[in-house]
Amino acid sequence: MSTLMASVTLRTAFGKSFRGCGLDNDMFEDMIHRATVVLGNFTASDLFPYVGWIVDRLTGLHARLERSFHELDDFFQRVIDEHLNRTPQEGKRDIVDFLLSIEKGQSEFGEVQCTRDCTKAVLMDIFLAGVDTGAITLTWAMAELARNPRVMKKVQDEIRSCLKKGKVAEDDIHQLQYLRMVVKETLRLHPAVPLLLPRASMSQFKLDNYEVYPKQLIQVNVWAIGRDPNYWRNPEEFFPERFSDSSIDYKGQHFEFLPFGAGRRRCPGMYMAMSMVELTLANLLNCFAWELPNGMKETDIDMEEADGLTTYKKSALKLVPVTYKRP
Ligand code: HEM
């Protein structure tokens, strides 16, 4: 899943497939995984600005951060060098070409200096935010479907009855209402980014019994909100039908369901993400029947999440694809 999401994101954003960049699938996945795990750690220096750095050095967190930073920096440098050494074809400029042209003609942003570091920071944002999240959502969707054969059958029947032959294309997706509910339900129970980007309060206010002061760091836990029994009936149950006849959407207007965040910092890749996830899931479900490996029962699927910035499935999901032949 990671490989597929990485290919789509890199080709869309950087105009390049990672296959030609000297990293094989596993190295590439490891690099992203290391970065999101290390970035998801709470650092002692965040909590204790003057002395925390000593703790971070002793625990090895600082060294792991440095290593991840250098790995990613090398990769982005390679992407930038390739772009600098070629002439972009008219009408085929990608995000890297665009960022490099801003660097060159600083005037577009007036006083704001757009440096090489800024370009790399934007690339890192897109890269880390785009690759992992889609793969994680797909993995959890498949895990939940494997645990819930009723839902698996219902969504496969929908896809196969709507589609008369061949693969699911982007234009077919709007017909697949139940598939959309399955993706929403996956995002409710397993939001890829469990804590939104940190916010800082602008003024002093009281929330329940807590006094919040200006500039205080605020973390919004969308994972917990998605499982809150005050808003969701039987919140732990995977039940996509809860979204039928409901106006609740993921676009940041319904605060009980914020898998892509809300407000100015809402995920800018939301529509791309939904297209990638829905299309990939629809095709996986259309082309194969999915069975559990020998002797395994639905209840044996381990649903534990790993620590980090994103909610990885801790143990790999093992399913057996059996090619589906239309009757
Ligand atoms: C299922 C897939 C995805 C999920 C669940 C997801 C979720 C999120 C969330 C929750 C945030 C933080 C929003 C906030 O704090 O309000 C975010 C930020 C972001 N996402 Fe996504 N995302 C996904 C896919 C993508 C894709 C495909 C891209 C681009 C290729 C992308 C690019 C970004 C960027 C650049 C940010 C940072 C925005 C900022 O700094 O203001 N995301 N995403």
Side-chain angles (χ1 to χ4, degrees):
M1 305 278 191
S2 282
T3 311
L4 175 69
M5 292 298 134
S7 286
V8 178
T9 310
L10 287 188
R11 285 169 70 176
T12 317
F14 303 174
K16 147 180 199 53
S17 159
F18 73 87
R19 290 207 167 80
C21 68
L23 295 166
D24 66 26
N25 288 2
D26 289 343
M27 278 164 73
F28 196 77
E29 231 179 290
D30 286 350
M31 180 172 84
I32 302 171
H33 186 65
R34 269 195 297 275
T36 49
V37 168
V38 88
L39 285 171
N41 280 314
F42 282 100
T43 63
S45 39
D46 278 348
L47 302 172
F48 310 105
Y50 296 109
V51 290
W53 63 273
I54 305 174
V55 180
D56 290 337
R57 274 170 200 265
L58 290 175
T59 57
L61 181 62
H62 181 82
R64 291 203 301 282
L65 268 168
E66 285 276 302
R67 181 178 166 205
S68 252
F69 167 78
H70 286 298
E71 253 177 354
L72 289 170
D73 193 66
D74 283 352
F75 174 67
F76 296 132
Q77 190 58 53
R78 247 183 288 171
V79 173
I80 289 173
D81 288 344
E82 272 179 29
H83 280 74
L84 287 173
N85 292 333
R86 71 168 167 76
T87 321
Q89 286 168 277
E90 205 45 55
K92 285 204 167 172
R93 281 157 44 101
D94 57 36
I95 294 177
V96 185
D97 293 316
F98 176 71
L99 290 168
L100 291 174
S101 70
I102 295 181
E103 248 186 55
K104 217 167 147 192
Q106 288 296 337
S107 56
E108 281 186 54
F109 281 134
E111 293 299 301
V112 181
Q113 280 284 311
C114 189
T115 61
R116 182 57 48 86
D117 282 350
C118 295
T119 301
K120 285 183 181 171
V122 175
L123 296 184
M124 186 170 87
D125 221 12
I126 297 172
F127 181 71
L128 290 184
V131 173
D132 225 13
T133 43
I136 287 171
T137 308
L138 278 167
T139 307
W140 285 117
M142 289 302 291
E144 288 290 2
L145 290 172
R147 275 192 350 142
N148 293 279
R150 177 194 71 83
V151 182
M152 173 76 97
K153 179 171 181 327
K154 189 168 168 182
V155 68
Q156 284 184 314
D157 285 351
E158 179 191 66
I159 299 168
R160 289 169 186 166
S161 64
C162 282
L163 196 82
K164 296 300 167 224
K165 58 179 179 165
K167 290 189 184 150
V168 185
E170 249 180 291
D171 289 345
D172 303 317
I173 292 291
H174 70 277
Q175 303 176 58
L176 306 174
Q177 296 304 323
Y178 193 61
L179 175 88
R180 294 205 145 158
M181 290 182 224
V182 166
V183 174
K184 276 187 179 179
E185 183 67 337
T186 305
L187 289 166
R188 177 185 71 82
L189 279 171
H190 309 283
V193 185
L195 299 178
L196 297 184
L197 298 174
R199 265 61 171 184
S201 54
M202 292 168 76
S203 56
Q204 186 167 350
F205 60 93
K206 210 167 184 167
L207 192 63
D208 291 335
N209 283 328
Y210 297 97
E211 200 67 50
V212 181
Y213 296 97
K215 296 194 181 162
Q216 201 160 327
L217 187 74
I218 296 178
Q219 300 274 7
V220 179
N221 188 340
V222 290
W223 185 95
I225 295 172
R227 291 172 185 242
D228 188 332
N230 290 317
Y231 302 103
W232 304 99
R233 189 185 297 177
N234 299 329
E236 300 296 326
E237 189 188 347
F238 186 78
F239 186 63
E241 286 79 357
R242 70 175 80 242
F243 286 102
S244 74
D245 299 326
S246 153
S247 62
I248 296 180
D249 215 330
Y250 47 78
K251 294 176 188 161
Q253 308 295 324
H254 299 100
F255 294 139
E256 64 275 54
F257 184 50
L258 295 173
F260 293 102
R264 281 194 209 170
R265 303 298 297 269
R266 188 186 74 170
C267 175
M270 181 174 71
Y271 292 109
M272 177 177 164
M274 286 306 278
S275 300
M276 290 199 298
V277 169
E278 287 176 348
L279 198 58
T280 311
L281 188 62
N283 277 302
L284 287 175
L285 296 173
N286 180 41
C287 299
F288 302 101
W290 292 91
E291 293 177 1
L292 293 169
N294 275 349
M296 197 170 163
K297 294 199 276 306
E298 283 97 38
T299 45
D300 294 335
I301 300 176
D302 179 7
M303 299 296 275
E304 199 179 337
E305 294 163 355
D307 298 337
L309 201 61
T310 47
T311 45
Y312 268 95
K313 191 173 170 311
K314 195 165 184 178
S315 56
L317 175 67
K318 290 187 185 133
L319 297 177
V320 182
V322 180
T323 308
Y324 170 74
K325 290 199 180 68
R326 281 183 177 273

